[in-house]
Amino acid sequence: MKKISTKIATFIVIGIIISACNTVRRVPEGKQLLTKNEILVNNKAVKTEDVINQLYQKPNSNILGYRLRLNLFNLANPNPDSTFQAKFTNHSGKYERMSKLLSAKQVDRLGKSFWYHGIHDFLKKTGEAPIIIDSTKSDRSIVRLKYFYFNDGFFNVKANYKLDSLSAKKAKIKYSITTGKPYILDTIKATISTQVLDSMFQSIKSGSFLKSGKQYKIEDFDNEKNRITNHFKNNGVYNFQPTDVTFVIDTLNTENKVNVNLNINDYSYQANDSTKTEPFKIFKISDVNIYTDYSPTNTNSKITDSTTYNNFHLYSQNRLKYRPRAITDAIFITKGGLFADNKTVLTSRYLNNLKIFNYPTILYTADKRDSTAQSLIAKIYLTPRKKYSFGTSLDVTHSNIQDFGIAYSISETIRNVFNGAETLEIAGRGNIGSSKDLANPQNNFFNVSEYGIDLKLNIPRIWFPFNTEKIIPKSMIPSTLISTGLSSQRNIGLNKENLTGSISYNWTPKKNNTARFDLLNIQYVRNLNPANYFNVYGTSYKALNNLGKIYNTNSTYVNTNGDLIIESGTTGFTNDVLSTTPTIFPSAADYKTINSIEERRIRLTEDDFILATNFTFSKTTKTDLQDNNFYLFRTKIESAGSILSLISNAASLPKNQNGNYKIFNLEYSEYIKTEFDYIKHWDFSKERILAVRTFFGIAIPYGNSNNIPFSRSYFSGGSNDNRAWQPYSLGPGSSGAVNDFNEANMKIAMSAEYRFKILGALKGALFADAGNIWNVLDNVTDEKATFSGMKDLKELALGSGFGLRYDFSFFIVRFDFGFKTYNPANEINKRWFNEYNFAHSVFNFGINYPF
């Protein structure tokens, strides 16, 4: 505790020193530091980001009101070279003495060292120079502000600014804007020279962004221009461009009203040295030519193989290596169809998604055979990737079980493996890691390991006995993934082998929507060391051992210290209590405890067989990696064991002594599971982001099961969950995490995080995490651990804290400190802030953001 107090005191002292920095230290005489911009629009303060962004000068950045980067810049010496030379000017003979000790060259180089020069360069680069008020930039800001409101229909806008001096070297600027009345759209007409385009426009006129009575906004004009262009180019008008749409705006004698005339002239083009015009034409596709082995570095090679399939012409410089359908299924440009820009884009996406070609090139040329000059030949150039590719990867990993890990994998990819554009990947993987939470009698640093092999076959279509085109059309870019894998792991002391297999269908129903249907998802988990259970789950052993000291009568079950021997003593004592002919008769409460311990041991050490079917759907508004203003919704529903039970019932198979069916001598799991996950980000600019996540999941056992397999259950706590608790150490309910690895079959989680920039690539965050896990509709009867109604929502735990993140561009290293704000495991009057201190805080390390 003394060390922690010292650290806190050190931070406070550093904070006082930095706070004592003079913010105007580097402001020249006669100049003023810009401390604030105030914008008044019609005498009302405006703080919206789009208006503030019109200003050419903004105050220095701050963190919660403190201008850290400005103060760091002020700490730097503006002329470190002069300062170094002054050391010798003011102390005659010092240069000679140092030159004798080092050398003249070394003394000169000392002036460029980090201590004399580098540290000041670092402070300047990391810091931020003071923003000096510049009247020229303020004038330009006025122009931009007027233009901004002009584009929103305020044609008579007036604006000015006033400098408000706060001191000799500090001032703020007040911008005053009077918008006047907005102009409203009145009559809207269209003059389109080409008759066919006029007819097309009339058919979509009702969806126009320009409507009489709406306020004039330049954004609506841009949207209307793009809407018309997209419609024309997707319906055969090959030569049409957005610049072909112009607007004539008339405000003369209209009393704040705007008359709009939309103009589209005939097609204009250059012929020799003159400009000619003609009506726009509707183009059709006369041929689709596909060059399957095009090489941009060898364009003169001759075609030696070709074929025609469904009106597609396929050409190859060598022997054609692909079944025609494998390629033509990815092409939406069809012979006889109208030219459509969206089909070009969709074809490019689908062909790229095959992963056997580089990004395709699609060109259109006029078909000289058509005397009307209204036909195009589509030419699709495909450059194959290498058929075989070998890959390796080495990664540093982190997970809720593993504090630190090193993962290595090697893979071999075979493209077009069956001549149908399929991709086969064979991969071997290995991982070693360290976890301080696991049983580790030999105190090895690397006490976690896993290795395995995976086989994946990707088929670029729905692989199914029946035609699914009407349900999932090829425009949704469907694919089938058949995978299997075998792994062996040593992670929680019990050692497991994992055999998995799946048949999955993936498609994109709409832009930014994804869907996945696992027809079969098989998992077989074999526990290799069940006898080690009580060495790993020390809490369960301690509870059983304490009861053994009270009730045990068999001396062979205990060691010289009187403790139950693992495993012979624990098994013998449990059997003496729970067998059909017991020899030990504990109290009802203790019997219940022993029975609960044994049920949990059996559940976590028995082999699992899961045959599941699931469907996952996700939707996002995220447009690219830089988009920080979006939402993501994901939902999943999974059913396991129902097919096996249907077969078992139909075949009248016998049940075992537990009343359950078996397959491969294993009681298979049967449950239904559903999850809902929602993430929302708000971008407040300047790298300030508010991120929120909510999650709900529940898995209900039935039929052949009365509990959920460990691998399909939920836990709480950890660097990607409630950061005030360690993984598996929160819940269930208010039970107080009585087990070593606490899990349950229902989970609620909510998180909010405010992210901001500190210095360069260093970011900060303030966060709050709420949630818990509970048992519901399974074989757990502990009232503290079960969810019985809305009243149990008071058991939602709350953690809060702060974090630091460093952005390496391709990944982010994250450090978070979580503090227990509300702990439902404590007594009711000690739940709030009882453990809100560094002694009870949890340090989290993570890679990338938690959500």
Side-chain angles (χ1 to χ4, degrees):
M1 191 66 190
K2 185 176 180 181
K3 291 182 179 179
I4 293 174
S5 301
T6 303
K7 291 179 181 178
I8 294 173
T10 302
F11 280 121
I12 293 173
V13 171
I14 293 173
I16 292 172
I17 293 173
I18 295 177
S19 299
C21 293
N22 183 2
T23 56
V24 296
R25 183 178 180 183
R26 302 300 178 196
V27 176
E29 291 296 328
K31 302 293 183 178
Q32 290 181 303
L33 176 72
L34 177 61
T35 61
K36 186 179 181 181
N37 284 320
E38 289 184 1
I39 303 175
L40 295 177
V41 179
N42 299 326
N43 296 319
K44 291 184 179 180
V46 172
K47 296 182 179 180
T48 54
E49 201 65 34
D50 53 352
V51 177
I52 294 173
N53 284 338
Q54 307 308 311
L55 305 181
Y56 278 94
Q57 282 193 304
K58 300 173 187 176
N60 290 96
S61 61
N62 66 84
I63 302 173
L64 302 178
Y66 175 67
R67 305 190 190 282
L68 175 62
R69 296 187 67 192
L70 173 60
N71 283 318
L72 287 175
F73 183 90
N74 288 341
L75 287 174
N77 187 337
N79 299 299
D81 292 329
S82 300
T83 304
F84 182 74
Q85 293 299 326
K87 291 170 62 71
F88 305 110
T89 303
N90 299 331
H91 301 83
S92 59
K94 188 173 184 179
Y95 184 85
E96 289 76 13
R97 290 194 301 272
M98 291 187 67
S99 297
K100 290 179 182 179
L101 181 63
L102 299 172
S103 75
K105 187 176 182 180
Q106 287 178 316
V107 173
D108 292 338
R109 288 174 59 186
L110 185 63
K112 299 296 183 182
S113 66
F114 178 78
W115 182 253
Y116 285 101
H117 203 286
I119 189 172
H120 300 289
D121 290 340
F122 170 78
L123 289 171
K124 290 176 184 178
K125 183 179 178 180
T126 306
E128 191 176 68
I131 305 299
I132 307 300
I133 292 176
D134 185 339
S135 60
T136 303
K137 292 183 178 180
S138 299
D139 292 335
R140 292 168 62 193
S141 295
I142 287 294
V143 174
R144 286 185 65 175
L145 285 167
K146 292 173 71 174
Y147 188 70
F148 174 81
Y149 282 98
F150 183 92
N151 285 338
D152 273 356
F154 299 100
F155 295 165
N156 300 316
V157 61
K158 297 178 181 179
N160 58 68
Y161 73 91
K162 177 184 177 182
L163 194 67
D164 188 357
S165 295
L166 304 177
S167 66
K169 289 190 175 185
K170 288 184 180 181
K172 63 181 180 179
I173 301 177
K174 292 183 178 180
Y175 294 91
S176 298
I177 301 164
T178 304
T179 62
K181 292 183 178 180
Y183 275 68
I184 307 299
L185 301 183
D186 194 14
T187 59
I188 301 172
K189 298 179 181 179
T191 303
I192 302 175
S193 300
T194 303
Q195 182 60 43
V196 66
L197 263 59
D198 185 57
S199 298
M200 293 172 63
F201 174 77
Q202 295 301 327
S203 68
I204 63 166
K205 186 177 179 180
S206 60
S208 175
F209 286 92
L210 306 177
K211 295 185 182 295
S212 181
K214 284 186 67 176
Q215 182 174 328
Y216 175 98
K217 288 183 180 293
I218 195 67
E219 181 182 10
D220 289 336
F221 286 82
D222 292 336
N223 289 337
E224 180 67 4
K225 182 182 291 188
N226 292 331
R227 185 184 77 95
I228 293 171
T229 302
N230 289 337
H231 181 73
F232 286 173
K233 290 188 73 69
N234 289 333
N235 287 276
V237 192
Y238 173 67
N239 296 318
F240 199 85
Q241 299 296 328
T243 53
D244 292 319
V245 182
T246 60
F247 299 97
V248 176
I249 307 299
D250 180 18
T251 60
L252 189 62
N253 300 321
T254 58
E255 296 183 2
N256 290 91
K257 291 185 179 181
V258 178
N259 296 321
V260 180
N261 190 22
L262 183 153
N263 289 334
I264 300 177
N265 296 321
D266 284 340
Y267 174 54
S268 176
Y269 62 98
Q270 292 292 123
N272 297 324
D273 294 330
S274 61
T275 301
K276 294 186 177 182
T277 60
E278 66 178 22
F280 281 98
K281 296 176 181 179
I282 304 297
F283 285 83
K284 289 188 177 182
I285 306 299
S286 57
D287 275 317
V288 181
N289 298 336
I290 307 165
Y291 301 90
T292 61
D293 56 357
Y294 171 75
S295 173
T297 59
N298 188 16
T299 58
N300 296 322
S301 297
K302 294 182 179 180
I303 301 298
T304 61
D305 194 6
S306 64
T307 188
T308 299
Y309 178 80
N310 284 352
N311 290 322
F312 294 98
H313 307 297
L314 291 88
Y315 301 98
S316 178
Q317 298 170 6
N318 301 296
R319 184 181 63 84
L320 192 62
K321 300 177 182 179
Y322 311 94
R323 290 201 302 271
R325 183 188 170 189
I327 296 178
T328 59
D329 274 357
I331 296 173
F332 298 86
I333 307 164
T334 57
K335 181 178 181 178
L338 294 177
F339 164 81
D341 211 26
N342 59 349
K343 290 184 178 180
T344 305
V345 174
L346 194 57
T347 298
S348 297
R349 284 181 57 203
Y350 203 140
L351 286 170
N352 187 59
N353 198 59
L354 294 179
K355 299 178 182 178
I356 61 172
F357 301 110
N358 294 333
Y359 199 83
T361 299
I362 302 177
L363 302 176
Y364 293 91
T365 59
D367 190 346
K368 296 179 180 179
R369 298 170 298 180
D370 184 1
S371 59
T372 65
Q374 290 182 263
S375 295
L376 297 172
I377 298 175
K379 297 181 179 180
I380 303 172
Y381 297 94
L382 305 176
T383 303
R385 298 184 185 182
K386 292 181 179 180
K387 185 175 181 66
Y388 301 96
S389 64
F390 180 78
T392 62
S393 68
L394 181 66
D395 296 308
V396 176
T397 62
H398 168 78
S399 70
N400 289 313
I401 285 288
Q402 194 170 260
D403 300 310
F404 172 80
I406 300 173
Y408 178 77
S409 68
I410 57 174
S411 64
E412 179 71 18
T413 301
I414 307 174
R415 297 182 177 88
N416 195 37
V417 62
F418 301 122
N419 295 330
E422 305 90 353
T423 302
L424 178 66
E425 181 181 336
I426 305 170
R429 53 188 168 85
N431 176 80
I432 57 173
S434 174
S435 176
K436 64 179 181 292
D437 295 325
L438 305 184
N440 190 10
Q442 297 180 355
N443 200 31
N444 295 325
F445 178 76
F446 288 111
N447 59 333
V448 177
S449 67
E450 179 177 359
Y451 57 89
I453 185 170
D454 299 301
L455 187 68
K456 297 178 182 179
L457 176 65
N458 187 75
I459 304 171
R461 54 193 164 274
I462 298 295
W463 186 70
F464 200 71
F466 310 107
N467 190 348
T468 60
E469 175 69 20
K470 291 184 178 180
I471 304 172
I472 306 175
K474 70 175 187 177
S475 59
M476 295 183 180
I477 314 182
S479 64
T480 303
L481 179 64
I482 302 173
S483 64
T484 184
L486 176 65
S487 66
S488 178
Q489 59 183 231
R490 177 172 63 90
N491 58 4
I492 60 172
L494 295 178
N495 302 352
K496 295 182 178 181
E497 287 180 346
N498 222 330
L499 176 64
T500 60
S502 67
I503 300 177
S504 305
Y505 304 109
N506 300 273
W507 66 96
T508 306
K510 293 181 181 179
K511 184 180 179 181
N512 296 326
N513 292 4
T514 60
R516 170 172 174 151
F517 175 63
D518 285 9
L519 179 65
L520 295 175
N521 191 309
I522 302 170
Q523 182 181 25
Y524 169 59
V525 180
R526 180 187 174 205
N527 286 288
L528 301 179
N529 194 14
N532 198 39
Y533 175 82
F534 284 113
N535 285 321
V536 176
Y537 292 86
T539 303
S540 295
Y541 172 76
K542 183 178 179 180
L544 185 67
N545 189 52
N546 288 337
L547 292 172
K549 289 182 177 181
I550 298 174
Y551 297 108
N552 178 51
T553 58
N554 192 326
S555 60
T556 61
Y557 293 166
V558 298
N559 57 22
T560 54
N561 296 324
D563 297 323
L564 292 173
I565 300 171
I566 303 174
E567 160 193 44
S568 60
T570 54
T571 302
F573 173 68
T574 302
N575 288 338
D576 288 350
V577 174
L578 302 178
S579 68
T580 54
T581 56
T583 58
I584 297 176
F585 302 92
S587 67
D590 290 341
Y591 179 90
K592 184 177 179 181
T593 300
I594 296 170
N595 186 61
S596 177
I597 293 171
E598 179 63 7
E599 282 185 349
R600 180 173 172 82
R601 185 194 68 81
I602 293 173
R603 174 169 169 257
L604 296 182
T605 58
E606 67 182 356
D607 299 339
D608 287 328
F609 181 77
I610 303 171
L611 175 61
T613 298
N614 62 63
F615 174 75
T616 304
F617 174 80
S618 67
K619 179 179 181 179
T620 182
T621 58
K622 190 176 181 72
T623 55
D624 53 51
L625 292 175
Q626 304 303 317
D627 186 3
N628 288 313
N629 199 11
F630 69 93
Y631 75 82
L632 168 65
F633 172 74
R634 186 187 69 88
T635 185
K636 178 180 180 180
I637 184 167
E638 177 175 296
S639 175
S642 55
I643 296 176
L644 295 176
S645 289
L646 187 65
I647 295 172
S648 299
N649 284 322
S652 300
L653 297 180
K655 296 183 178 181
N656 62 10
Q657 66 274 16
N658 297 325
N660 295 328
Y661 293 113
K662 280 190 171 186
I663 186 169
F664 307 129
N665 204 33
L666 287 172
E667 290 186 10
Y668 58 84
S669 297
E670 189 170 11
Y671 61 85
I672 188 165
K673 181 178 182 180
T674 186
E675 295 177 350
F676 300 92
D677 197 359
Y678 180 78
I679 295 172
K680 172 67 178 172
H681 285 204
W682 288 272
D683 190 347
F684 299 120
S685 77
K686 299 181 181 178
E687 300 188 53
R688 297 172 301 165
I689 297 167
L690 176 63
V692 173
R693 182 196 182 198
T694 58
F695 175 87
F696 173 77
I698 186 171
I700 301 174
Y702 68 97
N704 217 56
S705 300
N706 59 8
N707 56 64
I708 301 299
F710 185 85
S711 61
R712 294 293 204 269
S713 61
Y714 298 107
F715 70 91
S716 195
S719 61
N720 295 324
D721 196 73
N722 197 320
R723 285 161 280 187
W725 278 263
Q726 296 284 1
Y728 295 95
S729 66
L730 172 59
S734 59
S735 61
V738 295
N739 297 308
D740 298 270
F741 295 91
N742 297 276
E743 40 77 40
N745 63 325
M746 174 177 150
K747 178 175 181 176
I748 297 176
M750 296 169 285
S751 293
E753 183 171 279
Y754 178 67
R755 302 165 185 166
F756 51 89
K757 181 178 180 179
I758 299 178
L759 295 171
L762 182 64
K763 322 289 183 182
L766 300 174
F767 62 83
D769 303 319
N772 208 331
I773 55 174
W774 293 268
N775 291 95
V776 59
L777 301 175
D778 61 1
N779 61 343
V780 175
T781 58
D782 183 1
E783 291 184 0
K784 291 184 177 181
T786 56
F787 188 89
S788 55
M790 299 300 288
K791 61 181 179 60
D792 290 323
L793 291 178
K794 67 178 182 294
E795 296 174 350
L796 286 169
L798 176 63
S800 58
F802 63 91
L804 295 174
R805 292 86 195 276
Y806 194 87
D807 190 349
F808 287 95
S809 297
F810 50 94
F811 72 95
I812 293 171
V813 174
R814 174 166 53 92
F815 304 97
D816 289 327
F817 286 91
F819 299 86
K820 295 177 179 62
T821 309
Y822 176 84
N823 189 351
N826 292 340
E827 298 177 16
I828 293 179
N829 60 344
K830 295 182 179 180
R831 292 183 174 181
W832 284 102
F833 300 104
N834 189 57
E835 300 163 293
Y836 204 87
N837 49 57
F838 277 97
H840 292 91
S841 66
V842 174
F843 172 73
N844 297 272
F845 168 78
I847 303 295
N848 294 326
Y849 288 115
F851 54 89

